[in-house]
């Protein structure tokens, strides 16, 4: 698996994990979780999806639209489980993050994309770990048992994030065939420059 593919798996896992945990225990979700959780997931997955769509998708309009849609979807799918206010909070946060992700990744040259993605994954991992600590408040209601108790543990999230980041570094340090060719908006920019010359 390439480093970009690993980043995709990382952000998809965060979205699916958050959805499953909140869906299972939405009856005990507190007001603080209703306010924060959709925003956190929308920002993490929206920003990650925005950066990746900026790399994968050729064409500025297509990558911007995809990044924004990914952000809206990720925030709204979590917020939608908890009410209209949480839905709007998650959708708007995700939309903004998706837009920022697409634009920000293009500020860096292609040679630095792996390092930039790694930095964003570290920051996202830290935020998701803090998100896990917040969601652990559900366990104070003694409703998390068995498999869900393990999955909602901060230790589980820490081990998952650490493992993904270590694998990412290992893969990124080897020749990654996907990095040998221009991606996304960078490809469009290079094609435009060649046409002008």
């Amino acid at each position: 698996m390439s480093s970009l593919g690993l980043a995709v798996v990382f952000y998809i896992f965060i979205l699916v994990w958050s959805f499953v945990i909140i869906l299972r225990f939405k009856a005990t979700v507190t007001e603080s979780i209703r306010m924060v959780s959709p925003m956190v997931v929308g920002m993490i997955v929206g920003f990650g999806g925005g950066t990746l769509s900026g790399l994968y998708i050729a064409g500025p309009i297509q990558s911007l639209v995809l990044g924004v849609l990914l952000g809206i979807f990720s925030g709204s799918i979590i917020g939608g489980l908890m009410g209209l206010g949480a839905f709007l909070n998650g959708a708007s946060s995700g939309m903004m993050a998706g837009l920022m992700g697409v634009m920000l990744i293009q500020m860096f040259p292609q040679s630095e994309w792996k390092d930039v993605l790694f930095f964003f994954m570290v920051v996202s991992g830290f935020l998701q770990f803090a998100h896990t600590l917040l969601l652990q408040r559900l366990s104070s209601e003694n409703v998390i048992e068995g498999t869900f108790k393990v999955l909602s543990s901060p230790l589980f999230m820490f081990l998952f994030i650490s493992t993904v980041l270590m694998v990412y570094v290992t893969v990124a340090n080897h020749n990654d065939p996907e990095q040998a060719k221009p991606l996304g908006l960078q490809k469009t920019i290079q094609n435009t420059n060649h046409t002008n010359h």
Side-chain angles (χ1 to χ4, degrees):
M1 179 180 291
S2 69
S3 57
L4 291 179
L6 193 61
V8 171
V9 171
F10 177 77
Y11 289 112
I12 289 176
F13 172 84
I14 290 176
L15 177 62
V16 173
W17 179 90
S18 301
F19 180 82
V20 170
I21 294 296
I22 292 174
L23 178 64
R24 175 65 177 81
F25 304 108
K26 63 180 180 179
T28 61
V29 167
T30 64
E31 286 301 319
S32 63
I33 293 176
R34 290 177 188 273
M35 179 182 68
V36 174
S37 196
M39 182 187 300
V40 170
V41 177
M43 293 293 280
I44 291 175
V45 180
F47 190 84
T51 57
L52 292 170
S53 65
L55 300 180
Y56 274 121
I57 307 299
I61 301 300
Q62 295 91 326
S63 57
L64 284 172
V65 169
L66 180 60
V68 167
L69 290 178
L70 286 172
I72 292 174
F73 173 77
S74 60
S76 62
I77 195 172
I78 301 299
L81 296 174
M82 296 180 283
L84 182 59
F87 170 85
L88 293 173
N89 188 22
S92 58
S93 299
M95 177 179 65
M96 180 176 62
L99 181 63
M100 290 172 56
V102 174
M103 294 189 299
L104 186 59
I105 194 65
Q106 294 306 314
M107 295 172 60
F108 299 92
Q110 183 182 354
S111 60
E112 297 181 8
W113 283 351
K114 288 180 183 179
D115 295 333
V116 172
L117 279 177
F118 177 75
F119 174 75
F120 290 150
M121 288 172 67
V122 170
V123 173
S124 298
F126 172 77
L127 294 176
Q128 178 62 14
F129 179 75
H131 184 217
T132 306
L133 293 175
L134 176 67
L135 292 177
Q136 195 185 30
R137 292 185 181 183
L138 295 174
S139 63
S140 64
E141 303 292 334
N142 296 319
V143 294
I144 298 183
E145 298 177 352
T147 303
F148 282 100
K149 188 170 185 178
V150 173
L151 293 179
S152 63
S153 167
L155 177 61
F156 167 80
M157 188 57 63
F158 176 80
L159 292 176
F160 170 79
I161 292 170
S162 300
T163 301
V164 171
L165 292 177
M166 286 188 294
V167 173
Y168 181 92
V169 170
T170 302
V171 172
N173 285 337
H174 291 77
N175 291 331
D176 193 341
E178 292 195 27
Q179 291 293 314
K181 59 182 181 180
L183 297 171
L185 293 178
Q186 189 74 13
K187 182 187 293 184
T188 303
I189 293 169
Q190 290 181 1
N191 290 340
T192 303
N193 290 338
H194 288 313
T195 302
N196 292 336
H197 291 306

